[in-house]
Amino acid sequence: MKAEERVVIVGGGLAGLRAGERLRELGFNGELMILSAEKHKPYHRPALSKEVITGELTPRELGFKISDEMEATWRLGVPAESLDTGRRVVGLPGGEEVRYDGLIIATGVESRHMPGAPRQDERVHVLRTVDDAVAIRNSIASTQGLVVVIGGGLIGCEIAASVRGMGRDVAIINRSDTLLGGATGKEIGDFVTDTHRAKGTRLALGVKILHWMRQANGIAIHLSDGQVLFAAVVILAVGSVPSVSWLRGSGLVLEDGLMCETSCHVVGGSDVVACGDVARWPNLRFGGVQRRVEHWLNAVEMGRAAAENLLVGRESSRPYTPVPRFWTEQYGMRIQGAGLASLATDTTTLSQPTGDHRTITGFVKDGKLVAMVALDSPGALIRLSPQLFQQNTVTRPSREDTLTQHIQRRDQAAQPVAEQPVAPPPAPRAHPVMQPMRSAPPRYEQPRYEPAPETQQYPQYADPVAEYQPELEDQEQERELEAAMAEAFLPRRTQAPSVRTRSGGQPRLLVRSGGGGGRSSARPPR
Ligand code: FAD
């Protein structure tokens, strides 16, 4: 891309904003246009399930600071409807078309709907946007009975805790027996479950919804264990789906999100990158596993990485290889995670829980730590997280993998099909001309995605790291925990990086095989 051309960003959320800022930081002085389906400029979505529902924050207080120096044309309430990558135009309502030289796709996700749920009923809500949060708040304020949250994942649990904190009766309906299980591992999941119960939340766990019945004074929800919950307000928190419907027919590859290369360039597109919740890409730090990451910090980091790689072009791009991180807060508990827990086959308790239940669970695969989730141990997690970078080094794909990807890309680009069916990625095909490599493919390590040196000074925008690092409350306890974990866990310098036990291979750590929350079937953390 040349610096004086036009970049269009589709999606005015966090990833789109950070991508636009990064373009300007790097000296892009062409035209910048941001199209957003929402009528609001980007705002802090995590507060919706926490402070906005409780009324501690008003919607006006959520907006990100946007520097005038970004000099973007914002088109709010204007959803992109189509994309023609050949003509390089984005289609808008009313037949309008916007031409681009470079395109950044950051359309995020939308709430998943639940088959059978009476979505048209004004007492039934989802939570993705600030408008959703305001509607939920109004609904809660204008009723008195039970608030039922469907789904015991991160957002469902946060909503329940917020509503309970307002003194309302709350119930969570969840298909599995433990809240948060997949995202945090069983130990922390069990603790969170007990905490919700102790705070007075009704838990209907391990059940399915058989039937809904709308009545004038509430909605009756019939459960598979025979219970009937009578709800004044229902909030569906059953996951999300990528916002890609506008890309149908574009020829881009839509498989649980928008398929990207390691550099955030979109498969099948030219001068098109994607970032944030919508983007699915192979993270070379974790064996090239293709996945989406629905975390706030990923939107920030991937937005910046995508902008950089768009500017330098595909050939000079660097792979985007983060260690994903997330946090959640419920009833004052702070849970933070780093890595890809869903890859793990075992979990290991990195420290015995102390009286106040501080603990860190490690997620292990092939003797390597692939993720950690910490309960009320923010400092220790942050200090230990370099382990995840060290133990999960970025590995260049083998020649065969590269060639296979190239062929797949070429094939996919050649077939402008509508939407690909949601299916696991195809197994690599053997290519007839491939010869076995004589030696192992070269390995290289890139510290993590470090932005290129800045070309000019720009005002400081919100600092994601500060957002992620709550201040330490009890420094001494943090240090003790960290020391105990370092002794038990950190690899010795002379040994290959892997999970270590304290005494010569005799596991002091509690490693659970099977049944633990870290099994590969577990849902990934957001
Ligand atoms: P979004 O923020 O969703 O932005 C995408 C934007 O694109 C939206 O404005 C959308 O309207 C727009 N758009 C969609 N389609 C089109 C179209 N066709 N044309 C134009 N615009 C379009 N993460 C954490 O790590 N910790 C948390 O505690 C946490 N809490 C959360 C709580 C809630 C209630 C929610 C909803 C999310 C939470 N997250 C949390 C996740 C985090 O907020 C997201 O990962 C992040 O906002 C993703 O940013 P994004 O820019 O990719 O997508």
Side-chain angles (χ1 to χ4, degrees):
M1 277 217 50
K2 293 185 195 132
E4 66 278 9
E5 293 178 318
R6 176 194 271 188
V7 171
V8 172
I9 300 177
V10 183
L14 177 62
L17 173 66
R18 295 299 182 237
E21 288 171 350
R22 190 66 189 143
L23 289 177
R24 291 298 191 212
E25 285 173 3
L26 292 171
F28 172 73
N29 56 14
E31 193 183 339
L32 183 57
M33 177 181 286
I34 302 181
L35 303 169
S36 183
E38 283 187 80
K39 294 199 172 108
H40 314 278
K41 282 199 177 165
Y43 54 87
H44 189 57
R45 233 171 264 281
L48 300 180
S49 47
K50 306 172 185 83
E51 296 87 351
V52 176
I53 285 194
T54 59
E56 286 166 66
L57 280 181
T58 62
R60 295 174 67 117
E61 294 172 281
L62 301 185
F64 292 119
K65 193 173 159 217
I66 301 174
S67 167
D68 291 341
E69 296 178 52
M70 205 173 140
E71 286 185 34
T73 305
W74 289 86
R75 299 206 46 193
L76 301 175
V78 180
E81 288 187 343
S82 62
L83 173 65
D84 184 334
T85 55
R87 293 171 48 232
R88 296 192 177 222
V89 290
V90 176
L92 302 184
E96 185 185 348
E97 289 186 334
V98 172
R99 187 192 53 77
Y100 66 83
D101 299 300
L103 179 66
I104 299 178
I105 296 177
T107 44
V109 295
E110 44 209 72
S111 298
R112 185 186 291 281
H113 288 306
M114 203 181 171
R119 276 288 292 125
Q120 72 285 11
D121 191 305
E122 60 184 17
R123 297 164 293 187
V124 177
H125 301 269
V126 293
L127 179 56
R128 181 74 202 171
T129 66
V130 68
D131 296 338
D132 295 337
V134 169
I136 290 173
R137 219 178 122 54
N138 291 343
S139 210
I140 289 174
S142 62
T143 56
Q144 284 188 335
L146 181 68
V147 177
V148 173
V149 179
I150 318 275
L154 291 163
I155 293 183
C157 287
E158 285 181 2
I159 296 170
S162 300
V163 176
R164 188 75 198 113
M166 297 160 70
R168 281 293 287 265
D169 284 340
V170 186
I172 299 177
I173 299 175
N174 194 35
R175 287 173 72 151
S176 69
D177 290 329
T178 308
L179 301 177
L180 301 185
T184 61
K186 188 156 169 31
E187 186 182 336
I188 293 178
D190 282 345
F191 180 72
V192 169
T193 307
D194 291 344
T195 304
H196 275 262
R197 196 177 277 121
K199 296 283 184 186
T201 303
R202 288 173 65 178
L203 298 182
L205 304 179
V207 296
K208 287 184 187 160
I209 296 176
L210 297 182
H211 189 55
W212 300 81
M213 192 178 291
R214 296 164 60 204
Q215 296 173 0
N217 52 352
I219 299 175
I221 307 171
H222 294 241
L223 303 180
S224 54
D225 65 354
Q227 284 189 74
V228 180
L229 299 182
F230 199 68
V233 179
V234 175
I235 303 162
L236 305 175
V238 290
S240 51
V241 289
S243 300
V244 292
S245 55
W246 66 284
L247 293 170
R248 290 200 182 115
S250 65
L252 302 184
V253 183
L254 310 178
E255 277 183 19
D256 182 31
L258 177 55
M259 190 74 83
C260 300
E261 299 166 11
T262 55
S263 62
C264 314
H265 282 91
V266 165
V267 172
S270 188
D271 292 320
V272 184
V273 292
C275 49
D277 287 5
V278 73
R280 182 168 177 209
W281 89 104
N283 187 340
L284 295 182
R285 189 175 293 283
F286 293 95
V289 177
Q290 293 177 336
R291 61 183 329 113
R292 290 187 303 108
V293 172
E294 291 185 34
H295 299 336
W296 193 93
L297 264 167
N298 184 62
V300 172
E301 294 179 339
M302 197 174 191
R304 293 170 67 84
E308 290 180 32
N309 283 338
L310 178 70
L311 277 190
V312 299
R314 189 177 245 131
E315 300 311 318
S316 309
S317 288
R318 289 180 298 162
Y320 173 60
T321 58
V323 169
R325 282 103 75 211
F326 77 97
W327 81 95
T328 177
E329 283 177 42
Q330 326 179 356
Y331 293 125
M333 290 179 289
R334 287 175 298 177
I335 299 171
Q336 290 158 301
L340 283 184
S342 60
L343 298 183
T345 49
D346 289 319
T347 57
T348 170
T349 302
L350 299 181
S351 68
Q352 297 293 344
T354 54
D356 59 1
H357 296 284
R358 290 167 170 238
T359 185
I360 296 187
T361 300
F363 294 77
V364 181
K365 185 187 180 207
D366 300 335
K368 260 193 334 191
L369 186 73
V370 292
M372 301 181 205
V373 176
L375 174 62
D376 279 337
S377 312
L381 181 87
I382 287 161
R383 286 191 291 270
L384 280 174
S385 53
Q387 283 301 309
L388 290 169
F389 289 97
Q390 287 167 22
Q391 297 201 26
N392 298 280
T393 50
V394 174
T395 312
R396 193 187 289 278
S398 70
R399 259 180 71 207
E400 184 166 359
D401 284 352
T402 309
L403 186 58
T404 305
Q405 277 178 17
H406 173 77
I407 292 166
Q408 283 172 351
R409 238 184 6 239
R410 187 200 58 196
D411 291 351
Q412 283 155 354
Q415 298 169 13
V417 286
E419 191 177 10
Q420 311 293 316
V422 177
R429 288 176 293 168
H431 192 266
V433 298
M434 281 301 297
Q435 299 297 323
M437 294 190 68
R438 290 212 184 112
S439 56
R443 292 168 72 90
Y444 76 105
E445 165 65 6
Q446 190 163 288
R448 54 178 285 190
Y449 200 94
E450 292 297 349
E454 316 242 325
T455 53
Q456 55 177 280
Q457 284 298 316
Y458 253 78
Q460 286 298 303
Y461 301 104
D463 177 1
V465 176
E467 189 75 36
Y468 179 63
Q469 295 180 340
E471 74 282 9
L472 304 184
E473 277 171 4
D474 186 339
Q475 303 255 355
E476 200 176 324
Q477 235 175 339
E478 288 291 343
R479 270 197 298 274
E480 275 171 25
L481 179 59
E482 193 193 8
M485 288 198 305
E487 194 187 343
F489 179 71
L490 298 182
R492 312 286 179 263
R493 252 194 209 151
T494 50
Q495 294 165 330
S498 65
V499 173
R500 297 289 164 212
T501 59
R502 193 182 193 184
S503 50
Q506 294 304 310
R508 171 181 171 266
L509 307 176
L510 311 175
V511 178
R512 293 184 207 92
S513 294
R519 292 192 63 78
S520 52
S521 60
R523 276 170 52 80
R526 285 174 309 163

Coordinates of all heavy atoms in Angstrom, one line a residue, residues 10-16 35-38 45-46 48-50 78-81 106-109 127-128 155 158 243 246 275-278 293-297 299 325-328 526, ligand 1:
V10 N -14.0 -1.6 8.1 CA -15.4 -2.0 8.3 C -15.5 -2.5 9.7 O -15.0 -3.6 10.0 CB -15.9 -3.0 7.2 CG1 -17.4 -3.3 7.5 CG2 -15.7 -2.5 5.8
G11 N -16.3 -1.8 10.5 CA -16.4 -2.2 11.9 C -15.8 -1.2 12.8 O -14.6 -1.0 12.9
G12 N -16.7 -0.4 13.5 CA -16.2 0.7 14.4 C -16.1 0.3 15.8 O -16.6 1.0 16.7
G13 N -15.5 -0.9 16.1 CA -15.3 -1.3 17.5 C -13.9 -1.1 17.9 O -13.2 -0.3 17.3
L14 N -13.5 -1.8 18.9 CA -12.2 -1.7 19.5 C -11.1 -2.0 18.5 O -10.1 -1.2 18.3 CB -12.0 -2.6 20.7 CG -10.7 -2.6 21.4 CD1 -10.3 -1.2 21.9 CD2 -10.7 -3.6 22.6
A15 N -11.2 -3.1 17.8 CA -10.1 -3.5 16.8 C -10.0 -2.5 15.7 O -8.9 -2.2 15.3 CB -10.4 -5.0 16.3
G16 N -11.2 -2.1 15.2 CA -11.2 -1.1 14.1 C -10.5 0.2 14.5 O -9.7 0.8 13.8
L35 N -16.5 2.6 8.7 CA -18.0 2.3 8.6 C -18.4 1.5 9.8 O -17.8 0.5 10.1 CB -18.2 1.4 7.4 CG -17.7 2.0 6.0 CD1 -17.8 0.9 5.0 CD2 -18.6 3.2 5.6
S36 N -19.5 1.9 10.4 CA -19.9 1.1 11.6 C -21.4 0.9 11.6 O -22.2 1.8 11.4 CB -19.5 1.8 12.9 OG -19.9 1.0 14.0
A37 N -21.8 -0.3 11.9 CA -23.2 -0.6 11.9 C -23.9 0.0 13.1 O -25.1 0.4 13.1 CB -23.4 -2.2 12.0
E38 N -23.1 0.2 14.2 CA -23.7 0.9 15.4 C -23.7 2.4 15.2 O -22.9 2.9 14.5 CB -22.8 0.5 16.6 CG -23.1 -0.9 17.1 CD -22.4 -1.2 18.4 OE1 -22.9 -0.8 19.5 OE2 -21.4 -1.8 18.4
R45 N -16.7 -2.3 25.7 CA -17.8 -3.3 25.8 C -17.7 -4.1 27.1 O -18.8 -4.5 27.7 CB -17.6 -4.3 24.6 CG -18.9 -4.5 23.8 CD -18.6 -5.3 22.5 NE -18.4 -4.4 21.4 CZ -19.3 -3.8 20.7 NH1 -20.6 -4.0 21.0 NH2 -19.0 -3.0 19.7
P46 N -16.6 -4.5 27.7 CA -16.6 -5.3 28.9 C -17.4 -4.7 30.1 O -17.9 -5.4 30.9 CB -15.1 -5.4 29.3 CG -14.4 -5.3 28.0 CD -15.2 -4.3 27.2
L48 N -20.2 -3.4 29.9 CA -21.7 -3.6 29.7 C -22.3 -4.6 30.7 O -23.3 -4.4 31.3 CB -22.0 -4.1 28.3 CG -21.6 -3.2 27.2 CD1 -21.9 -3.8 25.8 CD2 -22.2 -1.8 27.3
S49 N -21.5 -5.7 30.9 CA -22.1 -6.8 31.8 C -21.7 -6.5 33.2 O -22.1 -7.3 34.1 CB -21.5 -8.1 31.4 OG -20.1 -8.0 31.1
K50 N -20.9 -5.5 33.4 CA -20.4 -5.2 34.8 C -21.1 -3.9 35.3 O -22.2 -3.9 35.8 CB -18.9 -5.2 34.9 CG -18.3 -6.5 34.3 CD -16.8 -6.4 34.1 CE -16.1 -7.6 33.5 NZ -16.2 -7.6 32.0
V78 N -24.0 2.8 9.5 CA -24.0 2.4 8.1 C -23.3 1.1 8.0 O -22.1 0.9 7.9 CB -23.1 3.5 7.3 CG1 -23.1 3.1 5.8 CG2 -23.7 4.9 7.5
P79 N -24.1 0.0 8.0 CA -23.5 -1.3 7.9 C -23.1 -1.7 6.4 O -23.8 -1.4 5.5 CB -24.7 -2.3 8.3 CG -25.9 -1.5 8.0 CD -25.6 0.0 8.1
A80 N -21.9 -2.2 6.3 CA -21.5 -2.8 5.0 C -22.4 -3.9 4.6 O -22.8 -4.7 5.5 CB -20.1 -3.2 5.1
E81 N -22.8 -4.0 3.4 CA -23.7 -5.0 3.0 C -23.1 -6.0 2.0 O -23.6 -7.1 1.9 CB -24.9 -4.4 2.3 CG -25.8 -3.7 3.3 CD -27.1 -3.2 2.7 OE1 -27.2 -3.1 1.4 OE2 -28.0 -2.9 3.4
A106 N -13.2 -5.6 10.6 CA -13.2 -5.7 12.1 C -14.6 -5.7 12.6 O -15.0 -4.9 13.4 CB -12.4 -4.5 12.7
T107 N -15.4 -6.6 12.0 CA -16.9 -6.5 12.3 C -17.3 -7.3 13.5 O -18.5 -7.4 13.8 CB -17.7 -7.0 11.1 OG1 -17.1 -8.2 10.5 CG2 -17.7 -5.9 10.0
G108 N -16.3 -7.9 14.2 CA -16.7 -8.5 15.5 C -17.6 -9.7 15.4 O -17.6 -10.4 14.4
V109 N -18.4 -9.9 16.5 CA -19.4 -11.0 16.5 C -20.7 -10.4 16.9 O -20.8 -9.3 17.4 CB -18.9 -12.0 17.6 CG1 -17.6 -12.7 17.1 CG2 -18.8 -11.5 18.9
L127 N -26.9 -9.6 25.1 CA -26.0 -8.5 25.5 C -24.8 -8.5 24.6 O -23.9 -9.3 24.8 CB -25.6 -8.7 27.0 CG -24.7 -7.6 27.5 CD1 -25.3 -6.2 27.3 CD2 -24.4 -7.8 29.0
R128 N -24.8 -7.6 23.7 CA -23.6 -7.3 22.9 C -23.2 -5.8 22.8 O -22.1 -5.4 22.8 CB -23.7 -7.9 21.5 CG -22.5 -7.8 20.6 CD -21.4 -8.7 21.0 NE -20.1 -8.2 20.6 CZ -18.9 -8.7 20.9 NH1 -18.9 -9.8 21.7 NH2 -17.8 -8.3 20.4
I155 N -19.7 -14.3 30.2 CA -20.6 -13.1 30.2 C -21.9 -13.4 31.0 O -22.3 -12.6 31.8 CB -20.9 -12.7 28.7 CG1 -19.7 -12.1 28.1 CG2 -22.1 -11.7 28.7 CD1 -19.9 -11.6 26.7
E158 N -21.0 -13.0 34.6 CA -20.9 -11.6 35.0 C -22.2 -10.9 35.1 O -22.5 -10.2 36.1 CB -20.0 -10.9 33.9 CG -18.6 -11.2 34.0 CD -17.8 -10.5 32.9 OE1 -18.4 -9.7 32.2 OE2 -16.5 -10.7 32.8
S243 N -19.7 -11.8 12.8 CA -20.5 -11.0 11.9 C -19.9 -11.0 10.5 O -19.2 -10.1 10.1 CB -20.5 -9.5 12.4 OG -21.0 -9.5 13.7
W246 N -22.4 -10.2 5.7 CA -22.2 -9.2 4.6 C -21.1 -9.7 3.6 O -21.0 -9.2 2.5 CB -21.9 -7.8 5.1 CG -20.6 -7.7 5.8 CD1 -20.3 -8.2 7.1 CD2 -19.4 -7.2 5.3 NE1 -19.0 -7.9 7.4 CE2 -18.4 -7.3 6.3 CE3 -19.0 -6.5 4.1 CZ2 -17.1 -6.8 6.2 CZ3 -17.7 -6.1 4.0 CH2 -16.7 -6.2 5.0
C275 N -9.1 -8.3 11.8 CA -8.6 -8.3 13.2 C -9.8 -8.4 14.1 O -11.0 -8.1 13.8 CB -7.8 -7.0 13.4 SG -8.6 -5.5 12.9
G276 N -9.5 -8.7 15.4 CA -10.5 -8.8 16.4 C -11.3 -10.1 16.4 O -10.9 -11.1 15.8
D277 N -12.4 -10.0 17.1 CA -13.3 -11.2 17.3 C -13.6 -11.9 16.0 O -13.9 -13.1 16.0 CB -14.6 -10.8 18.0 CG -14.4 -10.4 19.4 OD1 -13.3 -10.4 19.9 OD2 -15.4 -10.2 20.1
V278 N -13.7 -11.2 14.9 CA -14.2 -11.9 13.6 C -13.1 -12.7 13.0 O -13.4 -13.6 12.2 CB -14.7 -10.8 12.7 CG1 -13.6 -10.0 12.0 CG2 -15.6 -11.4 11.6
V293 N -10.2 -15.5 18.6 CA -10.0 -15.2 20.0 C -10.9 -14.0 20.3 O -10.8 -12.9 19.7 CB -8.5 -14.8 20.3 CG1 -8.4 -14.3 21.7 CG2 -7.7 -16.0 20.0
E294 N -11.9 -14.2 21.2 CA -12.8 -13.1 21.6 C -12.4 -12.5 22.9 O -13.0 -12.7 23.9 CB -14.2 -13.7 21.7 CG -14.8 -14.1 20.3 CD -16.3 -14.6 20.5 OE1 -17.0 -14.0 21.3 OE2 -16.7 -15.5 19.8
H295 N -11.2 -11.8 22.8 CA -10.8 -11.1 24.0 C -10.5 -9.7 23.7 O -10.0 -9.4 22.6 CB -9.4 -11.7 24.5 CG -9.5 -13.2 24.9 ND1 -10.6 -13.8 25.3 CD2 -8.5 -14.1 25.0 CE1 -10.3 -15.0 25.6 NE2 -9.0 -15.2 25.4
W296 N -10.7 -8.8 24.7 CA -10.5 -7.4 24.5 C -9.1 -7.1 24.1 O -8.8 -6.3 23.1 CB -10.8 -6.8 25.9 CG -10.9 -5.3 25.9 CD1 -12.1 -4.6 25.8 CD2 -9.9 -4.3 26.0 NE1 -11.8 -3.2 25.8 CE2 -10.5 -3.1 26.0 CE3 -8.5 -4.4 26.2 CZ2 -9.7 -1.9 26.2 CZ3 -7.8 -3.3 26.4 CH2 -8.4 -2.0 26.3
L297 N -8.1 -7.7 24.7 CA -6.7 -7.4 24.4 C -6.3 -7.9 23.0 O -5.4 -7.3 22.4 CB -5.8 -8.0 25.4 CG -5.3 -7.1 26.6 CD1 -4.7 -7.8 27.7 CD2 -4.4 -6.0 26.0
A299 N -8.3 -7.8 20.5 CA -8.8 -6.8 19.5 C -7.7 -5.6 19.4 O -7.5 -5.1 18.3 CB -10.1 -6.3 20.0
R325 N -4.8 -13.2 26.1 CA -5.1 -12.9 27.5 C -6.5 -12.4 27.7 O -7.0 -11.7 26.8 CB -4.1 -11.9 28.1 CG -2.8 -12.4 28.4 CD -1.8 -12.0 27.4 NE -1.4 -10.6 27.5 CZ -1.1 -9.8 26.5 NH1 -1.1 -10.3 25.2 NH2 -0.7 -8.6 26.6
F326 N -7.1 -12.8 28.8 CA -8.5 -12.3 29.1 C -8.6 -12.1 30.6 O -7.8 -12.5 31.4 CB -9.6 -13.3 28.6 CG -9.7 -14.5 29.5 CD1 -10.7 -14.5 30.5 CD2 -8.9 -15.5 29.4 CE1 -10.9 -15.6 31.3 CE2 -9.0 -16.6 30.3 CZ -10.0 -16.7 31.2
W327 N -9.7 -11.4 31.0 CA -10.0 -11.2 32.4 C -11.5 -11.2 32.6 O -12.2 -11.0 31.6 CB -9.4 -9.9 33.0 CG -10.3 -8.7 32.7 CD1 -11.2 -8.2 33.5 CD2 -10.2 -7.9 31.5 NE1 -11.8 -7.1 32.8 CE2 -11.2 -6.9 31.6 CE3 -9.5 -8.0 30.3 CZ2 -11.5 -6.0 30.6 CZ3 -9.8 -7.1 29.3 CH2 -10.7 -6.1 29.5
T328 N -11.9 -11.6 33.8 CA -13.3 -11.4 34.1 C -13.4 -11.1 35.6 O -12.5 -11.4 36.4 CB -14.1 -12.7 33.8 OG1 -15.5 -12.5 34.2 CG2 -13.6 -13.9 34.5
R526 N -12.6 -16.7 26.2 CA -12.8 -15.6 25.3 C -11.5 -14.9 24.9 O -10.7 -14.7 25.8 CB -13.8 -14.6 25.8 CG -15.2 -15.0 25.8 CD -16.0 -14.0 26.6 NE -15.4 -13.7 27.8 CZ -15.8 -12.7 28.6 NH1 -16.6 -11.8 28.1 NH2 -15.2 -12.4 29.7
Ligands
FAD1 P1 -16.7 -5.4 18.4 O1 -16.2 -4.6 19.6 O2 -17.8 -6.3 18.5 O3 -16.8 -4.3 17.2 C1 -17.3 -4.7 16.0 C2 -18.1 -3.6 15.4 O4 -18.4 -3.9 14.0 C3 -19.5 -3.4 16.1 O5 -19.7 -2.1 16.4 C4 -20.5 -3.9 15.1 O6 -21.7 -3.3 15.1 C5 -19.7 -3.5 13.8 N1 -20.2 -4.2 12.6 C6 -20.7 -5.5 12.5 N2 -21.1 -5.8 11.3 C7 -20.8 -4.7 10.5 C8 -21.0 -4.3 9.2 N3 -21.5 -5.2 8.3 N4 -20.7 -3.1 8.8 C9 -20.2 -2.2 9.6 N5 -20.0 -2.4 10.9 C10 -20.3 -3.7 11.4 N6 -13.1 -9.4 26.9 C11 -12.2 -9.6 27.9 O7 -11.1 -9.9 27.6 N7 -12.6 -9.4 29.2 C12 -13.9 -9.0 29.5 O8 -14.2 -8.9 30.7 C13 -14.8 -8.9 28.5 N8 -16.1 -8.6 28.8 C14 -17.0 -8.5 27.8 C15 -18.4 -8.2 28.2 C16 -19.3 -8.2 27.2 C17 -20.8 -7.9 27.6 C18 -19.0 -8.3 25.8 C19 -20.0 -8.3 24.8 C20 -17.7 -8.6 25.5 C21 -16.7 -8.7 26.5 N9 -15.3 -9.0 26.2 C22 -14.4 -9.1 27.2 C23 -14.9 -9.2 24.8 C24 -14.4 -7.9 24.1 O9 -15.2 -6.8 24.4 C25 -14.3 -8.1 22.6 O10 -13.3 -9.1 22.4 C26 -13.9 -6.9 21.8 O11 -14.8 -5.9 22.0 C27 -13.8 -7.2 20.4 O12 -13.6 -6.1 19.6 P2 -13.9 -6.1 18.0 O13 -13.6 -4.7 17.6 O14 -13.3 -7.2 17.4 O15 -15.5 -6.3 17.9

